[in-house]
């Protein structure tokens, strides 16, 4: 017998379309589950923001998702996972998972020479969270991080198979190629959209790690453990998948339809700032030049 709430949706969020690479895997592996997706398109990119700001944005989104009565939350964004997962988990009773741990587990396992590259946003690479997680799964791992701040914009622009994107990826990967890595973590959920370009530039001998598959498996186990898996025999009320953004719904819809295995009918725009949790004002004294 499924517990009350087990037929509630799963909340998934990212700064934009990147988290759809995780959402589509959840749709594939857990086809009976409902989902509410939020893309913070008004405030993207997250990767150049401070940790405090990403925590504040994440709290607002969690608050919004809770109004949809989600039973679990997947932070389908490496930057928000690196900056805010710990805080959010401390504050929430409902299960919340991120994407870094799954990626580190896979990479730590598949590497043969223990030389692992990680590409991600400036905030993710700067946080050192990948290094920390990788050492837990493979203490011999040597980790080489590379921030690739231009790639999120190229992915959001839909330039997935473009010579300019290839040139940019080549430049970013140059440093890592000298490190003889055999494994490369795509440490931003936007990057699997550029997978073919990464494959071309990195070559066939480097294993590319996209944690979406493992994140969906982790979610399945978590739901089972907490007796929260959806009851297949119960008629589901409401829409199976709902999509919300903070801006540019039409553009999101267009891109989402090229990423997801089915066409989205509607995307609703909301004002995410309405979900502010506290009076948030910070004062910084500027250094004199
Ligand atoms: N998909 C987000 C991530 O995984 C993108 C970050 C951004 O908005 O800069 O980090």
């Amino acid at each position: 017998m499924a517990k009350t709430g087990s037929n509630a949706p799963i909340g998934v969020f990212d700064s934009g379309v990147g988290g759809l690479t995780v959402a589509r895997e959840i749709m594939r592996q857990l086809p009976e589950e409902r989902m509410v997706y939020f893309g913070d398109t008004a405030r993207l990119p997250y990767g150049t923001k401070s940790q405090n700001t990403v925590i504040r944005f994440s709290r607002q989104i969690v608050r919004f998702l809770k109004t949809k009565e989600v039973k679990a939350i997947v932070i389908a964004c490496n930057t928000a996972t690196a900056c805010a997962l710990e805080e959010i988990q401390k504050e929430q009773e409902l299960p919340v998972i991120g994407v870094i741990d799954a990626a580190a587990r896979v990479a730590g396992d598949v590497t043969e020479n223990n030389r692992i590259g990680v590409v991600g946003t400036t905030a993710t690479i700067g946080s050192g969270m990948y290094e920390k997680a990788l050492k837990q799964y493979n203490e011999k791992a040597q980790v080489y991080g590379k921030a690739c701040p231009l790639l999120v914009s190229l992915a959001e622009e839909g330039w997935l198979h473009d010579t300019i994107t290839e040139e940019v990826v080549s430049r970013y990967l140059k440093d890592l190629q000298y490190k003889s890595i055999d494994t490369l973590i795509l440490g931003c959920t936007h990057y699997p959209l550029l997978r073919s370009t990464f494959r071309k530039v990195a070559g066939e001998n480097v294993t590319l790690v996209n944690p979406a598959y493992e994140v969906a498996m982790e979610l399945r186990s978590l739901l089972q453990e907490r007796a929260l898996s959806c009851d297949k025999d119960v008629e589901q009320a409401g829409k199976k998948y709902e999509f919300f953004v903070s801006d540019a719904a039409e553009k999101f819809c267009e891109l989402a339809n090229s990423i997801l295995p089915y066409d989205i009918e509607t995307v609703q725009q909301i004002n995410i700032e309405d979900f502010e949790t506290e009076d948030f004002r910070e004062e910084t004294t500027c250094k004199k030049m």
Side-chain angles (χ1 to χ4, degrees), residues 14-15 18-19 44-48 76-80 121 124 152 187-190:
D14 178 45
S15 59
L44 167 143
Y46 278 13
T48 51
C77 171
N78 287 264
T79 308
T121 65
T124 300
V152 168
C188 170
T189 52
H190 280 76

Side-chain angles (χ1 to χ4, degrees), residues 13-21 37 40 43-49 75-82 99 120-124 130 148-149 152-153 156 186-192:
F13 77 88
D14 178 45
S15 59
V17 295
L20 293 173
T21 60
Y37 184 95
D40 201 356
R43 305 186 293 193
L44 167 143
Y46 278 13
T48 51
K49 311 259 181 329
I75 304 186
C77 171
N78 287 264
T79 308
T81 301
V99 287
T121 65
T122 307
T124 300
Y130 263 107
C148 309
V152 168
S153 309
E156 287 284 335
L186 302 181
C188 170
T189 52
H190 280 76
Y191 299 175

Side-chain angles (χ1 to χ4, degrees), residues 14-263:
D14 178 45
S15 59
V17 295
L20 293 173
T21 60
V22 178
R24 75 179 164 195
E25 199 49 50
I26 296 172
M27 290 172 182
R28 255 182 225 144
Q29 287 193 45
L30 293 99
E32 61 287 351
E33 296 291 347
R34 292 165 58 212
M35 191 190 296
V36 177
Y37 184 95
F38 178 75
D40 201 356
T41 44
R43 305 186 293 193
L44 167 143
Y46 278 13
T48 51
K49 311 259 181 329
S50 70
Q51 180 176 16
N52 278 348
T53 296
V54 177
I55 292 176
R56 183 165 72 90
F57 290 175
S58 303
R59 281 190 180 131
Q60 291 174 352
I61 297 166
V62 168
R63 200 161 180 217
F64 161 68
L65 290 173
K66 284 175 80 175
T67 67
K68 299 284 161 194
E69 297 181 333
V70 296
K71 61 182 175 188
I73 292 178
V74 178
I75 304 186
C77 171
N78 287 264
T79 308
T81 301
C83 296
L85 175 68
E86 234 175 88
E87 288 298 311
I88 302 288
Q89 280 177 331
K90 268 192 241 154
E91 293 163 4
Q92 300 298 327
E93 271 178 29
L94 81 174
V96 183
I97 60 171
V99 287
I100 291 183
D101 201 63
R105 198 164 54 234
V106 182
D109 194 42
V110 299
T111 180
E112 285 176 5
N113 70 0
N114 298 317
R115 301 172 80 83
I116 301 169
V118 184
V119 280
T121 65
T122 307
T124 300
I125 299 303
S127 75
M129 289 302 270
Y130 263 107
E131 186 145 22
K132 205 169 143 196
L134 275 160
K135 292 280 185 202
Q136 270 181 1
Y137 293 108
N138 180 341
E139 55 184 30
K140 289 197 204 126
Q142 282 180 278
V143 186
Y144 304 98
K146 179 74 191 171
C148 309
L150 292 176
L151 296 183
V152 168
S153 309
L154 291 168
E156 287 284 335
E157 202 51 41
W159 291 19
L160 309 184
H161 312 279
D162 193 283
T163 49
I164 290 178
T165 308
E166 192 178 322
E167 172 66 32
V168 176
V169 170
S170 297
R171 283 230 208 164
Y172 282 140
L173 289 195
K174 202 152 259 156
D175 292 349
L176 295 180
Q177 280 164 333
Y178 292 123
K179 309 285 184 201
S180 310
I181 56 162
D182 73 347
T183 305
L184 179 65
I185 298 178
L186 302 181
C188 170
T189 52
H190 280 76
Y191 299 175
L193 300 171
L194 311 173
R195 191 185 175 93
S196 58
T197 306
F198 271 105
R199 166 59 60 232
K200 196 167 167 190
V201 175
E204 291 300 325
N205 297 332
V206 174
T207 305
L208 301 182
V209 175
N210 162 17
Y213 183 83
E214 278 71 22
V215 171
M217 290 214 304
E218 192 179 324
L219 177 64
R220 185 211 305 277
S221 312
L222 188 71
L223 296 178
Q224 281 167 353
E225 259 166 44
R226 311 258 182 130
L228 282 173
S229 302
C230 167
D231 187 340
K232 291 181 196 135
D233 302 327
V234 172
E235 185 79 14
Q236 303 276 354
K239 281 196 186 144
K240 182 145 192 187
Y241 302 130
E242 285 188 272
F243 297 87
F244 296 85
V245 290
S246 46
D247 198 10
E250 221 166 280
K251 189 173 166 210
F252 176 92
C253 197
E254 215 176 281
L255 263 175
N257 286 341
S258 68
I259 297 167
L260 294 174
Y262 81 103
D263 275 354

